[in-house]
Amino acid sequence: MQPRTPLVLCVLLSQVLLLTSAEDLDCTPGFQQKVFHINQPAEFIEDQSILNLTFSDCKGNDKLRYEVSSPYFKVNSDGGLFALRNITAVGKTLFVHARTPHAEDMAELVIVGGRDIQGSLQDIFKFARTSPVPRQKRSIVVSPILIPENQRQPFPRDVGKVVDSDRPERSKFRLTGKGVDQEPKGIFRINENTGSVSVTRTLDREVIAVYQLFVETTDVNGKTLEGPVPLEVIVIDQNDNRPIFREGPYIGHVMEGSPTGTTVMRMTAFDADDPATDNALLRYNIRQQTPDKPSPNMFYIDPEKGDIVTVVSPALLDRETLENPKYELIIEAQDMAGLDVGLTGTATATIMIDDKNDHSPKFTKKEFQATVEEGAVGVIVNLTVEDKDDPTTGAWRAAYTIINGNPGQSFEIHTNPQTNEGMLSVVKPLDYEISAFHTLLIKVENEDPLVPDVSYGPSSTATVHITVLDVNEGPVFYPDPMMVTRQENISVGSVLLTVNATDPDSLQHQTIRYSVYKDPAGWLNINPINGTVDTTAVLDRESPFVDNSVYTALFLAIDSGNPPATGTGTLLITLEDVNDNAPFIYPTVAEVCDDAKNLSVVILGASDKDLHPNTDPFKFEIHKQAVPDKVWKISKINNTHALVSLLQNLNKANYNLPIMVTDSGKPPMTNITDLRVQVCSCRNSKVDCNAAGALRFSLPSLLLLSLFSLACL
């Protein structure tokens, strides 16, 4: 049996328990006052106390720590709030976070008359203004843990504590979630006996801003007794990221003469810090302008939006009078709402003053002179203009038009894309004898229309005087080509025609002489004085120099100028056919077997160089037979072919058979050609013509060749 506890000790223990319970019931962890109102002073003075805050965790405030939402303030260990430097504007609200291993709470300081710089940090701390701090009497007491990013060694360090007043003996705390047993693993851990939560390394809010963890109690076997209960770890932002301009290059355009206040472009930077804090609250300004003329302040940037606008009068935005139509601005973005302690980032904005067509092109002189030889084509003069607008735009590029003096469309004008000059060209040869002078009126305009208050003046038109120079032109044949029709075989010396060439230089009294230039067959002669053309040889339609019954010759006409000029004329002679070619047969050799059952020898074809009707139908006959009658026979197949056959077999030998063929001309022409027939010995599919001195052609082969020729015709 256990010894009985003395009565005095029991009484004392009862009194202690009663006192402890009464204290727990009367004490609420947290700030005694959660909301304060202070008036915005002209300036918060460094190290000057602003107010005192009272916080209690009902456990003696061991290891009490304070954190202020603004980096310009601090709370000392006694709860006094004071400024770290002289400062005028801090916003409308400050938040103070107090924490011990046993409890934590948030107090709000409302600055009456303060300027709103950024959103409330309650969004970060996840506290509502009236949210009560959990009482430690709950089974598992879990409050959000706030950890500043970028903390330095030593690690691990305690950042909070989980309390379980009803935890059974030998039970343990267990922490899970992303950052513990999930990637990134090992950042947080919990003392399984005391519930102290510690962090093992530096945190980066820009990587992970909030960690969602879970706490539970387990028995010695790892079985969950209570929980899991959510535990939120919030990483408090530090101003550790500079503003960055990520969308460059930044190029803006503004039209010259634009009104004051014209928006040119917008510059916006990015800050990776918490957008709910001043750490990411950016302000913009122009650090430098190049060039700084005609005013060092040509532009203004909205400090909050980043809009760049013009601030000079339209007269100063005259592109033609500016030293350089391109401005470069160094734009600075600064966080902490532009306060001196803020981090900065810069970028270059390039602003182009765009041209508008406020200057009309003007000819450099009122009149231009040009000379051109008659008969020539091409550029004769370049017309120069001046234009003050931007050479890279349609406000500078010129377009020329001939508005008078070009009824025959002999002239054209085009713009030289490099020099902007007007290139005046002759496109149809000019004739001195018709007109020795031409006067053109030309206007110039821009590709782009002029602005409403500018118009084209007298300087936008010019006169061009063109002088045509006389040139000794060659005589011209008329007609050209010259055409005659004659029968072939006309007698030598026959006159074909008299050519006619005239000199275009009507104002020059010159004589013309003629000569043969090209006469491929050498058939023609021309009288050098009067141009009469006659024949020097027989004209043959079947000559290789004749193409489709037409013979072509060229003649020259040469004037008496100095130097002389030459003209060329073409003569086309159409030759009519005469029956002057006898027909001929093919083939002229044939073979036949001495014991052939088919006595057909060969199919003959006939051809004639003449034209119809001096060709077919042809008449085929055997002129003479060197063997007894009734041995050879020739039969008509069609107008151009006939079949030669035997009436009986012949002995092996060579035979010459005269074939007479006559065309249908009037009068007809006849040709006699020997057909050489070889009678061969044909045994066992072998053809032997040696004894007959014959060629090695079989009769079937010759018949097949003849039939092929017949089919082709």
Side-chain angles (χ1 to χ4, degrees):
M1 295 181 59
Q2 293 182 352
R4 297 181 61 186
T5 304
L7 179 60
V8 175
L9 179 59
C10 291
V11 172
L12 289 174
L13 286 174
S14 299
Q15 290 177 348
V16 171
L17 289 174
L18 289 173
L19 290 173
T20 301
S21 299
E23 181 182 355
D24 289 343
L25 291 174
D26 294 338
C27 182
T28 300
F31 284 104
Q32 293 185 1
Q33 181 178 347
K34 297 185 182 297
V35 180
F36 299 84
H37 290 80
I38 60 176
N39 293 321
Q40 168 72 49
E43 185 176 34
F44 290 99
I45 307 301
E46 181 178 357
D47 293 333
Q48 179 176 314
S49 177
I50 300 172
L51 56 81
N52 289 317
L53 301 100
T54 302
F55 174 85
S56 174
D57 66 352
C58 302
K59 293 290 185 178
N61 285 350
D62 183 33
K63 297 181 180 180
L64 173 62
R65 296 178 59 187
Y66 293 98
E67 293 174 341
V68 185
S69 61
S70 172
Y72 309 117
F73 295 89
K74 182 178 181 180
V75 178
N76 59 24
S77 59
D78 297 331
L81 174 68
F82 59 92
L84 295 175
R85 50 167 286 185
N86 295 342
I87 188 170
T88 56
V90 297
K92 292 184 177 181
T93 307
L94 292 176
F95 295 94
V96 178
H97 177 240
R99 180 176 68 235
T100 72
H102 305 286
E104 60 181 305
D105 198 4
M106 184 81 70
E108 179 180 2
L109 283 69
V110 179
I111 301 174
V112 179
R115 181 167 58 90
D116 190 4
I117 295 180
Q118 190 65 11
S120 170
L121 281 183
Q122 285 182 337
D123 294 335
I124 302 174
F125 297 145
K126 307 295 182 181
F127 284 145
R129 182 182 300 175
T130 58
S131 297
V133 176
R135 294 181 58 84
Q136 68 185 80
K137 289 297 184 179
R138 294 175 54 187
S139 180
I140 297 182
V141 179
V142 177
S143 297
I145 298 175
L146 285 78
I147 307 175
E149 64 174 334
N150 303 324
Q151 286 184 325
R152 298 180 179 180
Q153 294 283 357
F155 290 105
R157 64 171 63 189
D158 291 341
V159 293
K161 187 173 183 179
V162 177
V163 179
D164 187 352
S165 59
D166 296 333
R167 183 161 64 94
E169 274 187 46
R170 302 179 64 188
S171 64
K172 299 179 181 181
F173 290 102
R174 181 163 62 191
L175 188 64
T176 59
K178 182 177 181 181
V180 182
D181 58 348
Q182 301 175 22
E183 293 296 340
K185 296 180 180 180
I187 296 178
F188 303 100
R189 61 191 183 191
I190 190 170
N191 187 305
E192 62 182 15
N193 296 317
T194 66
S196 293
V197 178
S198 59
V199 63
T200 64
R201 69 187 75 162
T202 299
L203 302 182
D204 187 348
R205 191 206 67 85
E206 285 70 47
V207 176
I208 300 177
V210 178
Y211 293 86
Q212 298 290 342
L213 308 180
F214 297 92
V215 179
E216 58 186 348
T217 56
T218 65
D219 60 16
V220 292
N221 296 320
K223 181 179 179 181
T224 301
L225 300 175
E226 183 177 354
V229 176
L231 170 60
E232 193 170 59
V233 178
I234 301 168
V235 183
I236 301 175
D237 186 43
Q238 303 291 323
N239 191 20
D240 58 347
N241 289 277
R242 293 182 178 274
I244 300 174
F245 291 90
R246 301 190 299 185
E247 300 174 0
Y250 297 91
I251 301 176
H253 295 263
V254 61
M255 189 69 68
E256 64 172 328
S258 295
T260 303
T262 299
T263 299
V264 180
M265 60 191 299
R266 172 171 288 186
M267 296 277 288
T268 55
F270 168 78
D271 195 312
D273 289 320
D274 189 349
T277 69
D278 288 355
N279 296 337
L281 183 60
L282 305 183
R283 293 294 181 262
Y284 302 93
N285 70 90
I286 300 175
R287 293 293 303 273
Q288 181 180 334
Q289 170 190 302
T290 304
D292 59 358
K293 297 179 180 179
S295 168
N297 299 304
M298 299 285 288
F299 306 95
Y300 165 80
I301 188 168
D302 186 301
E304 296 184 2
K305 297 180 180 178
D307 290 338
I308 299 176
V309 299
T310 62
V311 293
V312 294
S313 66
L316 291 181
L317 278 180
D318 186 355
R319 186 190 171 281
E320 287 72 38
T321 61
L322 292 175
E323 177 182 325
N324 189 339
K326 180 175 75 172
Y327 286 86
E328 290 189 348
L329 307 180
I330 304 300
I331 305 299
E332 179 185 73
Q334 187 171 26
D335 58 21
M336 298 302 297
L339 297 177
D340 293 341
V341 295
L343 302 177
T344 62
T346 61
T348 299
T350 301
I351 299 178
M352 305 299 299
I353 310 300
D354 291 338
D355 186 38
K356 64 181 179 181
N357 198 7
D358 54 351
H359 295 87
S360 62
K362 297 178 180 180
F363 284 102
T364 57
K365 50 186 179 179
K366 192 63 179 175
E367 294 184 348
F368 294 85
Q369 305 292 330
T371 58
V372 59
E373 292 183 347
E374 64 173 330
V377 295
V379 177
I380 59 174
V381 65
N382 290 315
L383 310 183
T384 54
V385 295
E386 293 178 344
D387 195 318
K388 296 181 180 180
D389 291 314
D390 185 357
T392 64
T393 67
W396 177 83
R397 290 190 292 270
Y400 298 88
T401 307
I402 301 173
I403 59 177
N404 196 11
N406 191 28
Q409 305 301 309
S410 299
F411 303 92
E412 288 183 358
I413 188 166
H414 300 281
T415 304
N416 185 318
Q418 281 74 41
T419 65
N420 214 31
E421 295 176 346
M423 301 183 297
L424 182 62
S425 303
V426 176
V427 294
K428 294 181 180 179
L430 304 177
D431 192 339
Y432 172 85
E433 285 71 30
I434 296 177
S435 177
F437 300 97
H438 297 267
T439 300
L440 304 179
L441 185 62
I442 297 177
K443 71 174 181 179
V444 61
E445 297 178 336
N446 288 131
E447 290 183 3
D448 291 348
L450 295 173
V451 295
D453 55 341
V454 178
S455 60
Y456 295 103
S459 298
S460 296
T461 59
T463 302
V464 182
H465 299 287
I466 302 165
T467 301
V468 182
L469 302 178
D470 189 22
V471 175
N472 186 22
E473 301 171 88
V476 178
F477 284 88
Y478 182 81
D480 190 28
M482 301 161 282
M483 292 180 286
V484 296
T485 300
R486 295 290 186 273
Q487 279 191 345
E488 64 175 331
N489 300 335
I490 60 175
S491 59
V492 175
S494 297
V495 175
L496 299 181
L497 82 163
T498 298
V499 301
N500 178 35
T502 59
D503 192 342
D505 301 309
S506 58
L507 301 180
Q508 303 177 26
H509 302 289
Q510 300 182 130
T511 59
I512 297 176
R513 294 180 62 84
Y514 300 96
S515 65
V516 177
Y517 179 42
K518 287 186 178 180
D519 179 16
W523 291 343
L524 305 176
N525 175 63
I526 188 169
N527 186 300
I529 305 301
N530 60 22
T532 299
V533 179
D534 56 12
T535 63
T536 60
V538 175
L539 307 184
D540 183 7
R541 193 200 66 83
E542 291 75 34
S543 167
F545 300 105
V546 176
D547 183 17
N548 197 24
S549 301
V550 176
Y551 181 72
T552 301
L554 300 179
F555 297 94
L556 297 179
I558 308 169
D559 66 18
S560 58
N562 186 19
T566 301
T568 304
T570 302
L571 173 62
L572 302 178
I573 305 173
T574 301
L575 297 176
E576 295 179 341
D577 187 41
V578 173
N579 193 18
D580 57 349
N581 291 278
F584 58 90
I585 65 168
Y586 58 88
T588 58
V589 177
E591 286 184 358
V592 64
C593 292
D594 56 1
D595 59 350
K597 295 181 180 180
N598 183 356
L599 298 180
S600 297
V601 178
V602 67
I603 295 176
L604 296 179
S607 183
D608 195 319
K609 294 181 180 180
D610 293 319
L611 298 178
H612 189 77
N614 296 321
T615 56
D616 60 272
F618 298 112
K619 180 180 179 182
F620 296 90
E621 297 175 276
I622 298 176
H623 183 55
K624 292 180 180 180
Q625 295 195 48
V627 295
D629 294 339
K630 306 293 186 180
V631 174
W632 302 97
K633 179 182 178 182
I634 190 166
S635 305
K636 179 180 179 180
I637 297 177
N638 55 30
N639 289 343
T640 57
H641 289 76
L643 174 64
V644 176
S645 59
L646 286 170
L647 298 178
Q648 63 184 38
N649 291 109
L650 296 179
N651 293 328
K652 182 179 180 182
N654 289 338
Y655 301 89
N656 288 324
L657 182 65
I659 303 297
M660 183 172 64
V661 58
T662 305
D663 63 24
S664 297
K666 294 183 179 181
M669 295 196 71
T670 299
N671 181 28
I672 299 174
T673 303
D674 283 343
L675 173 65
R676 185 182 180 189
V677 180
Q678 299 171 334
V679 179
C680 305
S681 174
C682 303
R683 301 291 185 273
N684 299 323
S685 300
K686 294 182 179 180
V687 178
D688 182 11
C689 298
N690 288 336
L695 298 174
R696 301 302 191 268
F697 293 102
S698 66
L699 180 60
S701 299
L702 289 173
L703 287 174
L704 180 61
L705 177 62
S706 299
L707 287 172
F708 178 78
S709 300
L710 177 62
C712 293
L713 294 175

